[in-house]
Amino acid sequence: MALLLREAIGDSLRRTRVSQSRTLREVSNSARVSLGYLSEVERGRKEASSELLAAICDALAVPLSDVLVDVSESLSDGSTAKRADTERHAVESTPAEAPAASARPGSTTIARDTRVVIPAPAQALAAA
């Protein structure tokens, strides 16, 4: 099964936000988009309009072109299975470890091995 464009865009936006140590709430407020909708876009569940993508990129202070380059590279990497396997074996890195060859001056580079960890809700832990 191939990676969908909306999923690749969401992955790229989430990696960018997480690399900046920002919350969904901060970015949604800055972009003037609802928290729930931004979450759906990041999870690849909603197709974002070009206007919405521009607003999110402005809020993240990253050019839309950089996100689209990242998405293009993700899609050309191959299947979802290959991507999942790569992510499963990836280790967390700092921006300083990102490959300099792919970075453009003044741009934000999203490390390929950036991982997102979403903790379980406190209620779920207490019930277990």
Side-chain angles (χ1 to χ4, degrees), residues 19-59:
S19 74
Q20 295 176 4
S21 301
R22 296 184 61 198
T23 66
L24 271 170
R25 186 171 308 280
E26 290 170 338
V27 175
S28 70
N29 286 339
S30 181
R32 297 180 184 256
V33 61
S34 76
L35 178 72
Y37 197 81
L38 178 59
S39 175
E40 292 284 307
V41 168
E42 282 192 358
R43 289 185 288 143
R45 303 276 168 85
K46 296 287 183 185
E47 295 277 355
S49 68
S50 58
E51 292 87 357
L52 180 62
L53 285 175
I56 295 168
C57 288
D58 284 345

Side-chain angles (χ1 to χ4, degrees), residues 86-94 97 111-115:
T86 301
E87 290 173 356
R88 190 177 316 116
H89 297 294
V91 294
E92 291 185 52
S93 71
T94 61
E97 295 174 20
R112 284 270 169 234
D113 57 350
T114 299
R115 296 175 60 187

Side-chain angles (χ1 to χ4, degrees), residues 40-122:
E40 292 284 307
V41 168
E42 282 192 358
R43 289 185 288 143
R45 303 276 168 85
K46 296 287 183 185
E47 295 277 355
S49 68
S50 58
E51 292 87 357
L52 180 62
L53 285 175
I56 295 168
C57 288
D58 284 345
L60 292 169
V62 62
L64 177 57
S65 60
D66 286 359
V67 172
L68 295 177
V69 166
D70 183 57
V71 168
S72 176
E73 291 170 356
S74 295
L75 293 174
S76 67
D77 283 347
S79 70
T80 305
K82 178 182 175 185
R83 185 169 170 80
D85 188 50
T86 301
E87 290 173 356
R88 190 177 316 116
H89 297 294
V91 294
E92 291 185 52
S93 71
T94 61
E97 295 174 20
S102 65
R104 283 179 272 176
S107 69
T108 302
T109 302
I110 303 166
R112 284 270 169 234
D113 57 350
T114 299
R115 296 175 60 187
V116 177
V117 177
I118 303 172

